[in-house]
Amino acid sequence: MIGSISSSSSMMAMPSASSNRQSSQLSDSQKETISSVLSQYDADSLSASDASDIVASFKDAGITPTKELAQELDALGFDAQEIGDLAGAKPQGGMPPPPPPPSDEEENSLSELLQSLLETEDEENEDLENTQSFEELMDYTSKILSLNDSSKTEILSLLEKYSSEENPYNKEQTSNLIKNSLKETLNDSNNYKHVSFYA
């Protein structure tokens, strides 16, 4: 009895799976629409406007981007990826693009400023400490560049303050003050840019 119930339930599942596959395939009328729409364009000289019109026509006809659509376009001499790119279509779902990386100029100027402020008198001639200082400098630089705008502005103001000629502290004191300030700011996760993958 249990065997007959499980076999009948698995048979019921199989037709629904095949019917789902059929629904994602293009109907004959959709294929005719695709052919009709594409006949108005030259695959070798598509413009962004042409691609947008093609995408809009497909959308109006209820034709969604699928593997079958890409195959049909390919059979007619068109590249689905190219049409999507030209039309500015974005893939549905997925993650948003990452924020642009900081410019080399911004990174270099920050590194140079940090280096001049964090360098102490006794570090200038020792290789091992210079290597560690360089790694520390790069770590500080990348973290500062990842801060949210207000925290980054605060740190940059602090660095400019200590780099001015009016700084009353010697190199070692300045280095310690900056390191302590950086440690406090850089260890607080609320000071960093937050990227939401659910935007």
Side-chain angles (χ1 to χ4, degrees):
M1 178 93 171
I2 293 175
S4 66
I5 292 173
S6 65
S7 67
S8 67
S9 67
S10 65
M11 286 194 162
M12 291 174 67
M14 289 192 348
S16 65
S18 65
S19 65
N20 283 344
R21 266 186 263 137
Q22 288 175 347
S23 67
S24 70
Q25 290 184 355
L26 297 169
S27 68
D28 288 338
S29 67
Q30 287 176 320
K31 288 180 180 181
E32 287 176 25
T33 301
I34 293 167
S35 180
S36 171
V37 167
L38 294 180
S39 68
Q40 302 169 35
Y41 302 98
D42 178 11
D44 297 325
S45 61
L46 279 179
S47 67
S49 175
D50 293 340
S52 294
D53 292 344
I54 291 169
V55 169
S57 297
F58 288 169
K59 186 175 182 181
D60 292 344
I63 301 169
T64 57
T66 61
K67 185 177 179 180
E68 288 77 17
L69 175 60
Q71 290 170 344
E72 187 68 23
L73 292 174
D74 188 50
L76 295 169
F78 288 82
D79 180 3
Q81 181 70 44
E82 178 186 10
I83 292 171
D85 290 347
L86 285 171
K90 295 182 176 97
Q92 296 177 354
M95 297 187 308
S103 70
D104 287 343
E105 184 179 316
E106 180 182 21
E107 189 173 348
N108 290 340
S109 65
L110 180 58
S111 293
E112 288 172 10
L113 179 58
L114 278 170
Q115 183 177 15
S116 69
L117 293 170
L118 297 178
E119 187 175 77
T120 59
E121 303 296 329
D122 11 320
E123 284 182 353
E124 291 176 354
N125 295 324
E126 297 183 25
D127 288 340
L128 179 60
E129 286 190 22
N130 281 339
T131 301
Q132 289 171 339
S133 295
F134 178 76
E135 289 171 2
E136 181 180 47
L137 178 70
M138 295 287 65
D139 185 49
Y140 282 142
T141 302
S142 67
K143 286 180 179 178
I144 292 170
L145 293 172
S146 299
L147 291 171
N148 61 36
D149 291 338
S150 64
S151 298
K152 188 192 301 185
T153 302
E154 186 180 312
I155 289 292
L156 293 175
S157 297
L158 176 82
L159 295 177
E160 287 177 21
K161 174 184 159 189
Y162 286 121
S163 67
S164 76
E165 303 225 357
E166 297 163 11
N167 179 10
Y169 305 106
N170 66 33
K171 278 191 164 205
E172 191 165 335
Q173 291 171 324
T174 299
S175 177
N176 289 333
L177 286 168
I178 290 174
K179 285 179 182 179
N180 288 335
S181 296
L182 287 174
K183 185 177 182 181
E184 185 179 320
T185 302
L186 298 177
N187 285 338
D188 185 350
S189 62
N190 293 320
N191 291 332
Y192 291 90
K193 297 175 188 173
H194 295 286
V195 178
S196 171
F197 296 113
Y198 301 104

